[in-house]
Amino acid sequence: MKKFAIEIRWGIQFSIVSLVWMIFEKTMGWHDELISKQAIYTNLFAFVAIGLYFIALTDKKKTTTMGQ
């Protein structure tokens, strides 16, 4: 289980960021009266997701190469 600690940690962080984004969408009204704009603005989350994945992968690479 200790082998997967980094993946679990980053998975939890990504889940929290995704939930925060969903709450942000709901408060902005993209699920109600502005549903037509939801598809456009949701693509902005791709930048956040790619950035988070990049940080997670660099952390994984740094910790695994230092551990060997």
Side-chain angles (χ1 to χ4, degrees), residues 10 12 14 18 20-21 32 35 41 45 47-48 51 53 57 59:
W10 282 104
I12 290 170
F14 187 78
S18 297
V20 168
W21 183 262
D32 296 327
I35 192 69
Y41 293 132
F45 182 70
F47 296 115
V48 176
Y53 276 126
L57 289 174
D59 182 37

Side-chain angles (χ1 to χ4, degrees), residues 19-53:
L19 286 172
V20 168
W21 183 262
M22 288 181 223
I23 292 168
F24 175 71
E25 283 184 353
K26 183 71 176 164
T27 57
M28 294 301 292
W30 297 341
H31 292 267
D32 296 327
E33 62 272 356
L34 298 175
I35 192 69
S36 62
K37 299 185 186 295
Q38 191 263 347
I40 297 167
Y41 293 132
T42 298
N43 288 329
L44 295 175
F45 182 70
F47 296 115
V48 176
I50 291 169
L52 197 60
Y53 276 126

